[in-house]
Amino acid sequence: EDDNNRDYTPVRWVRVNTIKSTVDAVLTKDPFFKKLTKVDAFEKVIDTPGTIFHDPYIPNLYGLHPKDKVTSTDAYKQGKIIIQDRASCFPAHILHPSPGDHIIDACAAPGNKTTHAASYVKNQKHSIVAFERNSARSQILRKMVARAGASKCISVKNQDFTTASPKEFNDVVGFIVDPSCSGSGIFGRSKDDKLNKNQPEKKTSEKTTTNEEEDIVEENDDDDEEEEEEEEEPISGKDKERLAKLSSFQFTIVKHALSFPSAKKLVYSTCSIHAEENEQVVIDLLNDGQIKNAGWRLCTRDQVIPDWPRRGWSDEFVKARFGEQESKALAEGCIRSLPKVDGGIGFFAAAFERD
Ligand code: SAM
């Protein structure tokens, strides 16, 4: 707790965008990267500007000190590197689609996970459909996709994913479902910043303004170049009603994805620390009769970044709903990242699969 509340310098996580470049080209040729000193723990990056940490969990991911002006580099300006929190890289890595696979990102804007997934399918044409129901955010998504060099691979649809017809996408095998959540795992953005950035949901036809676009083009603005993950305000622990609503929405959207005829694997994630939006949603899905009958099960630890030590919760909350033994298995299959102590935002991910 104390650790979590101290004045904190976050790591700036940077993913080499293998659609546009290679690790070798970025690290050995870019003048900014060439000067950095390698360290063997992300905590050392936090202590010392001018250092770089190679993440052992996600390929092509590096940690930098936020004072090092990576946003001024050509590599950043040309979309060869993408600033993306480490935990936010988990879903595409867990899904691990192969070239030739067709996948859907159900809640895609601003598109960090979508473009990451595009790198796994080797940017093959028409591999990914990215849904985003908010029109302003779908514009941001299109820009991020273009910047990553993935416009041919990713088709953006400004549409509510729950209205997508499973029959129309009968070749889709994989899903990333990263729906709106309380955002309780996010830190370091002031309330005012969040309120300014997150415009209320608008109908597609309405004109809307947002300053997120500026975040993309103002590459020298050192504070805000990472795109906003969430659209909701953090929640107080007491706000059970709102949590229940979010949890029910999250359940509905994942259940819809699990109904697609060729779906074989789905990764569910949130940037919430609340069990109601995380383990609870997973439990509700696993207990749902239709989902069970369709053959879905939770992926086991060996399929979900096995070396990542912080797994899901199996505390009283979970046990009371799922039983002792099942709770342990469930926790092992899930991943959590704690805000700050794990070097980034609070995050949750779990995966479902069927034969
Ligand atoms: N996955 C994104 C990334 O990594 O860059 C972040 C996604 S953010 C947590 C959730 C997004 O889902 C928001 O942009 C929100 O507008 C969108 N959304 C919420 N409900 C949706 C729905 N029913 N259909 C499509 N998009 C939805």
Side-chain angles (χ1 to χ4, degrees), residues 42-92:
F42 78 78
E43 290 87 349
K44 294 185 185 169
V45 164
I46 296 173
D47 291 340
T48 322
T51 56
I52 182 166
F53 169 68
H54 182 187
D55 184 66
Y57 300 104
I58 303 291
N60 314 316
L61 186 73
Y62 295 85
L64 306 174
H65 194 282
K67 285 225 166 81
D68 289 325
K69 293 201 175 295
V70 70
T71 51
S72 308
T73 62
D74 284 344
Y76 178 75
K77 289 176 185 168
Q78 293 164 7
K80 293 178 179 171
I81 54 172
I82 290 171
I83 294 176
Q84 183 172 358
D85 188 89
R86 168 164 67 183
S88 162
C89 295
F90 288 165

Side-chain angles (χ1 to χ4, degrees), residues 98-270:
S98 303
D101 284 352
H102 289 109
I103 67 168
I104 282 180
D105 187 340
C107 297
N112 291 321
K113 298 173 188 76
T114 332
T115 57
H116 192 200
S119 69
Y120 283 93
V121 296
K122 302 267 185 260
N123 206 26
Q124 281 196 4
K125 274 187 190 170
H126 311 305
S127 299
I128 303 177
V129 180
F131 285 85
E132 172 53 53
R133 76 172 171 195
N134 179 292
S135 61
R137 288 175 71 86
S138 57
Q139 289 306 319
I140 310 281
L141 172 62
R142 285 199 176 90
K143 290 207 167 105
M144 296 292 276
V145 166
R147 185 177 177 173
S151 298
K152 287 190 179 146
C153 172
I154 298 167
S155 320
V156 172
K157 278 195 187 288
N158 178 202
Q159 183 186 335
D160 182 332
F161 171 68
T162 58
T163 67
S165 153
K167 277 189 214 141
E168 201 188 313
F169 297 94
N170 58 10
D171 58 351
V172 169
V173 293
F175 281 85
I176 291 175
V177 186
D178 182 44
S180 303
C181 69
S182 62
S184 52
I186 292 179
F187 62 91
R189 292 167 187 150
S190 76
K191 199 166 186 239
D192 287 347
D193 281 354
K194 275 191 84 70
L195 288 174
N196 287 338
K197 283 183 153 217
N198 297 308
Q199 308 294 321
E201 189 74 20
K202 294 263 164 69
K203 292 209 178 79
T204 314
S205 57
E206 282 177 54
K207 280 213 165 164
T208 165
T209 55
T210 171
N211 57 7
E212 286 191 57
E213 194 174 312
E214 285 151 30
D215 294 343
I216 299 174
V217 289
E218 282 181 16
E219 280 125 352
N220 290 325
D221 174 353
D222 222 20
D223 290 327
D224 251 333
E225 72 296 334
E226 184 172 10
E227 278 304 313
E228 191 81 9
E229 284 266 344
E230 235 340 296
E231 59 170 8
E232 308 282 352
E233 273 299 288
I235 204 162
S236 90
K238 292 187 183 116
D239 197 346
K240 294 285 174 200
E241 200 180 315
R242 180 159 169 245
L243 274 182
K245 276 192 188 148
L246 282 167
S247 168
S248 146
F249 155 73
Q250 290 148 352
F251 172 88
T252 303
I253 202 156
V254 178
K255 185 169 174 179
H256 184 60
L258 294 176
S259 76
F260 280 55
S262 303
K264 293 276 176 287
K265 192 169 177 184
L266 177 148
V267 181
Y268 170 65
S269 60
T270 72

Side-chain angles (χ1 to χ4, degrees), residues 15-22 26 60 78-82 115 119 147-149:
R15 170 168 70 76
V16 174
N17 177 17
T18 54
I19 291 171
K20 282 200 163 175
S21 191
T22 62
V26 171
N60 314 316
Q78 293 164 7
K80 293 178 179 171
I81 54 172
I82 290 171
T115 57
S119 69
R147 185 177 177 173

Side-chain angles (χ1 to χ4, degrees), residues 249-314:
F249 155 73
Q250 290 148 352
F251 172 88
T252 303
I253 202 156
V254 178
K255 185 169 174 179
H256 184 60
L258 294 176
S259 76
F260 280 55
S262 303
K264 293 276 176 287
K265 192 169 177 184
L266 177 148
V267 181
Y268 170 65
S269 60
T270 72
C271 48
S272 164
I273 56 170
H274 296 295
E276 287 88 341
E277 299 175 86
N278 297 333
E279 289 85 355
Q280 177 68 67
V281 172
V282 172
I283 291 167
D284 291 346
L285 290 163
L286 292 171
N287 283 339
D288 182 274
Q290 284 171 332
I291 293 172
K292 265 191 208 167
N293 289 342
W296 287 102
R297 58 185 177 270
L298 192 67
C299 290
T300 50
R301 179 171 183 147
D302 55 313
Q303 300 166 285
V304 188
I305 318 184
D307 295 338
W308 180 259
R310 204 178 300 287
R311 313 307 295 188
W313 288 356
S314 61

